[in-house]
Amino acid sequence: MSKYIFVTGGVTSSLGKGIIAASLAKLLQARGLKVTIQKFDPYINVDPGTLNPYEHGECYVTEDGAETDLDLGHYERFLNIYTSQANNVTTGRIYQTVINKERAGDFLGKTVQVVPHITDEIKRRMKLLGEDGKYDIILTEIGGTVGDIESLPFIEAVRQLQWELPDEDVMVVHLTLIPYLRAAKELKTKPTQHSVKMLSETGVHPDIIVCRTEEPLSNEIKRKIALFCNVKQEAVIEAMDASTIYEVPLLMLREKLDLICLKKLNINQYSDPNLDKWKGFLDKLKYPKSRVTVGLIGKYIELQDAYKSILESFVHAGAMNEVKVEVVNVHSEYITQDNVAEKLQGLDGLLVAPGFGHRGIEGKIIAVQYAREKGLPFFGICLGMQMAVIEFARNVLGLKDAHSTEMNTDTNHAVINMMEEQKKIKMMGGTMRLGAYPCEIKEGSLAHRIYGELQISERHRHRYEFNNDYFDQFESNGMLASGRNPETGLVEIMELPNHPFFIGVQYHPELKSTVEKPAPLFVSFIAAAKKYNEQRMQQKARAEQ
Ligand code: GLN
């Protein structure tokens, strides 16, 4: 039988519930327990796939092709496990299932209601991953903030589960904020008291209160929170702001968050936490030997969450290379032939990010051209690879109006066009080429050196692809298709063998980078940037002599 830990949030959003949940899961995993983690989101979209990144940050894609909340990325990066569609459920998906059942006549003439029908479906989904006994513990993060109208059915489902299952099989961790009032030089517990009260009014009482705080919590404050929120003092956990999210598991270990959970769940068989690899990574992260600067070119750069997995992959790859990776955001809309050298000045590498639509496209193409001509390490992901293909077609093959049919349906040279099976699709949600597909790598290529193997599998999220009609023209002019799908022949990797490091991939390697297994492409890209930086510094030193 699996046991359940629910993580709720109070006072305000953006407290880092996903990181706290992932850190707790990491500690339990490090103690030898089999753990998974899921997120229930209270919005009506069936999944975040159709949401603009400005609304919801990055859309994280799992192996099975589910378009999910970016917190699932944290779960995978922390736990080094795969999640799936079952790990992310929204209100929209719950209602869709219930309404489909109603249309099928499954409710036998009954009135379909939030309680019990919606809450039953929520409970069924909450327990789904626990059914085959694969996991000792299932952590469930409830999105939103306690008190929101839309999260009520989820909290009600937790209440019912708590009532249905033995006491020792369910527990609730509530994350809140203890604001520090600078003028009064005081930490304030009132918002936490209110949020716990609100949670209790819906019949759910937290077992543990995790307090986000800028200042250490004194014993006196902890006692006050414990007394007025009706939990044991040891169950008031201090979560101080950390310098990196990867430090949080260690902070929670120090606060014994995992041990208190194990005690409440009456789990007695566990080992000392094995966090050697984690700590090794953290040491390298905190004490880099040098630094490199990479440019991230995209159109959502004001919003860090839009490129979450890419930024985290840089953190992993930086630690592997023992360098600090400074990411400079470059807005593609403002790049022109005249200012490109200035805009990309001081960079040791250039990453052209994934994206959709035509905004900022020409700037990306100019940036790729600069990287190709100047020998600046280049890494293109999805749309980034497509831009590299268009740039090569225009400036090397001389196909002046080469484009992707996503941006220009009338082009004479559609070097990137829509996949055949995509052309009949009318519904936008969940219909891209999604999830893991195999890729066969060409022996002796840069891709081969990077991965060290010839068969790989990576995750996808796109509708357009390289047009194979141009295959020979590209290869005979020096751009190599070094990775292809073995069944369909779709081009997955493009590279320039005559360049120090120039590679574009149609898939998203950032989705599989974890602390324990950084994505090889990122590791190699940062290694190339490091080399470029060293050369740049030598040149500078020589010039100054
Ligand atoms: N818009 C492009 C496509 O659909 C690229 C998508 C992406 O970068 N994820 O093919």
Side-chain angles (χ1 to χ4, degrees):
M1 267 291 286
S2 302
K3 297 186 184 247
Y4 297 89
I5 301 177
F6 292 95
V7 181
T8 58
V11 183
T12 161
S13 57
S14 306
L15 285 183
K17 226 182 319 151
I19 301 296
I20 293 288
S23 299
L24 173 56
K26 179 78 220 167
L27 293 179
L28 296 168
Q29 184 194 53
R31 288 189 181 276
L33 294 155
K34 292 194 282 311
V35 185
T36 192
I37 179 162
Q38 57 187 359
K39 180 161 191 199
F40 280 59
D41 273 313
Y43 51 77
I44 315 274
N45 302 65
V46 171
D47 62 39
T50 56
L51 285 172
N52 184 321
Y54 285 123
E55 291 278 318
H56 197 259
E58 165 189 273
C59 175
Y60 186 78
V61 180
T62 55
E63 284 289 291
D64 63 345
E67 297 180 284
T68 71
D69 185 78
L70 56 79
D71 272 332
L72 271 79
H74 289 309
Y75 306 164
E76 291 204 4
R77 287 187 282 271
F78 274 53
L79 297 177
N80 202 32
I81 58 166
Y82 287 161
T83 55
S84 70
Q85 180 62 74
N87 296 69
N88 191 196
V89 178
T90 67
T91 293
R93 195 170 288 276
I94 301 277
Y95 272 79
Q96 192 181 47
T97 311
V98 172
I99 291 170
N100 287 346
K101 271 191 180 169
E102 186 274 337
R103 292 288 83 185
D106 289 357
F107 293 109
L108 307 172
K110 289 264 181 250
T111 307
V112 182
Q113 294 178 300
V114 174
V115 182
H117 302 102
I118 294 296
T119 46
D120 279 354
E121 178 59 16
I122 296 175
K123 282 191 291 177
R124 186 185 73 79
R125 299 235 183 204
M126 281 173 169
K127 291 193 289 189
L128 211 56
L129 290 169
E131 266 168 8
D132 51 11
K134 242 168 66 191
Y135 300 106
D136 301 312
I137 298 176
I138 293 168
L139 268 102
T140 305
E141 179 190 345
I142 309 283
T145 309
V146 163
D148 294 348
I149 293 176
E150 54 259 46
S151 37
L152 276 175
F154 293 99
I155 305 289
E156 168 62 10
V158 174
R159 185 195 69 76
Q160 292 185 20
L161 276 181
Q162 242 175 345
W163 179 82
E164 282 167 25
L165 297 173
D167 273 358
E168 59 184 42
D169 284 358
V170 188
M171 67 177 294
V172 176
V173 176
H174 187 59
L175 176 67
T176 74
L177 176 71
I178 309 289
Y180 180 71
L181 293 191
R182 222 155 282 286
K185 294 198 177 62
E186 253 184 276
L187 285 164
K188 289 295 181 190
T189 65
K190 195 72 88 189
T192 295
Q193 293 180 40
H194 277 298
S195 119
V196 171
K197 196 170 154 198
M198 204 153 16
L199 189 57
S200 300
E201 275 167 10
T202 51
V204 173
H205 193 73
D207 299 284
I208 295 179
I209 299 174
V210 178
C211 306
R212 276 299 300 274
T213 170
E214 285 173 52
E215 296 290 326
L217 300 183
S218 64
N219 272 338
E220 194 190 332
I221 291 269
K222 281 191 172 183
R223 206 184 83 85
K224 195 168 163 192
I225 297 168
L227 175 65
F228 292 115
C229 297
N230 204 20
V231 295
K232 293 270 179 289
Q233 189 164 334
E234 60 167 24
V236 178
I237 303 284
E238 169 188 293
M240 289 274 288
D241 292 351
S243 60
T244 142
I245 54 169
Y246 299 105
E247 181 104 52
V248 179
L250 300 182
L251 295 181
M252 292 302 103
L253 181 69
R254 223 173 296 146
E255 286 284 304
K256 302 195 172 62
L257 176 62
D258 53 335
L259 289 178
I260 301 165
C261 289
L262 290 166
K263 188 168 147 196
K264 158 72 185 152
L265 297 174
N266 199 19
I267 297 175
N268 305 312
Q269 285 200 329
Y270 53 84
S271 58
D272 284 341
N274 179 358
L275 289 164
D276 295 348
K277 272 195 180 160
W278 191 273
K279 287 180 182 159
F281 158 79
L282 206 53
D283 273 348
K284 285 193 185 152
L285 180 62
K286 283 168 87 177
Y287 308 106
K289 296 197 175 128
S290 58
R291 70 171 55 208
V292 298
T293 309
V294 297
L296 171 66
I297 300 215
K299 65 170 181 179
Y300 306 112
I301 50 168
E302 311 83 347
L303 186 82
Q304 290 299 295
D305 275 359
Y307 303 111
K308 196 82 201 160
S309 294
I310 290 177
L311 296 176
E312 295 309 325
S313 301
F314 277 139
V315 174
H316 308 155
M320 279 295 270
N321 282 290
E322 300 186 73
V323 296
K324 163 130 185 67
V325 181
E326 205 80 70
V327 181
V328 176
N329 295 317
V330 187
H331 217 305
S332 54
E333 272 184 286
Y334 309 124
I335 300 178
T336 62
Q337 287 288 4
D338 292 338
N339 68 16
V340 61
E342 178 204 337
K343 291 258 180 219
L344 304 185
Q345 186 189 355
L347 298 184
D348 303 311
L350 181 70
L351 184 137
V352 179
F356 295 85
H358 68 271
R359 184 159 68 89
I361 287 297
E362 293 304 321
K364 286 185 179 176
I365 295 172
I366 293 169
V368 178
Q369 181 184 3
Y370 181 88
R372 180 177 57 78
E373 291 176 349
K374 303 285 182 216
L376 178 67
F378 166 83
F379 181 13
I381 298 182
C382 207
L383 184 69
M385 178 204 99
Q386 298 176 354
M387 293 301 106
V389 165
I390 294 169
E391 191 278 318
F392 194 83
R394 287 186 187 176
N395 299 324
V396 179
L397 305 183
L399 311 172
K400 287 296 168 216
D401 82 330
H403 222 315
S404 160
T405 50
E406 180 179 1
M407 292 81 189
N408 177 5
T409 42
D410 297 330
T411 171
N412 290 313
H413 296 290
V415 286
I416 303 291
N417 66 5
M418 190 176 265
M419 283 180 275
E420 266 323 301
E421 73 262 25
Q422 284 287 331
K423 290 186 181 157
K424 358 183 221 308
I425 288 173
K426 295 272 178 297
M427 303 281 267
M428 298 311 270
T431 56
M432 279 188 247
R433 182 180 184 227
L434 290 167
Y437 284 93
C439 168
E440 214 163 64
I441 289 180
K442 208 167 258 175
E443 216 168 328
S445 62
L446 171 62
H448 186 199
R449 290 198 294 284
I450 291 172
Y451 280 94
E453 48 192 336
L454 294 172
Q455 308 289 337
I456 58 161
S457 164
E458 294 276 12
R459 298 182 196 169
H460 295 252
R461 183 173 190 249
H462 61 114
R463 290 187 204 278
Y464 295 81
E465 55 155 332
F466 176 77
N467 181 348
N468 274 327
D469 292 349
Y470 291 89
F471 191 90
D472 292 339
Q473 223 176 325
F474 272 79
E475 290 223 321
S476 55
N477 283 282
M479 188 177 254
L480 179 72
S482 55
R484 298 179 83 180
N485 180 291
E487 286 123 47
T488 58
L490 288 183
V491 169
E492 304 282 18
I493 311 177
M494 279 298 212
E495 62 181 72
L496 288 178
N498 287 331
H499 188 283
F501 189 98
F502 189 105
I503 194 161
V505 295
Q506 185 56 76
Y507 50 81
H508 291 264
E510 73 276 20
L511 299 173
K512 277 174 73 174
S513 188
T514 72
V515 165
E516 286 174 28
K517 252 176 139 187
L521 271 163
F522 279 86
V523 176
S524 299
F525 174 59
I526 295 302
K530 191 172 154 186
K531 205 160 141 198
Y532 188 88
N533 178 275
E534 283 157 9
Q535 288 164 354
R536 203 157 62 85
M537 291 305 147
Q538 277 165 9
Q539 269 169 12
K540 207 168 144 201
R542 248 180 271 136
E544 279 164 8
Q545 261 171 18

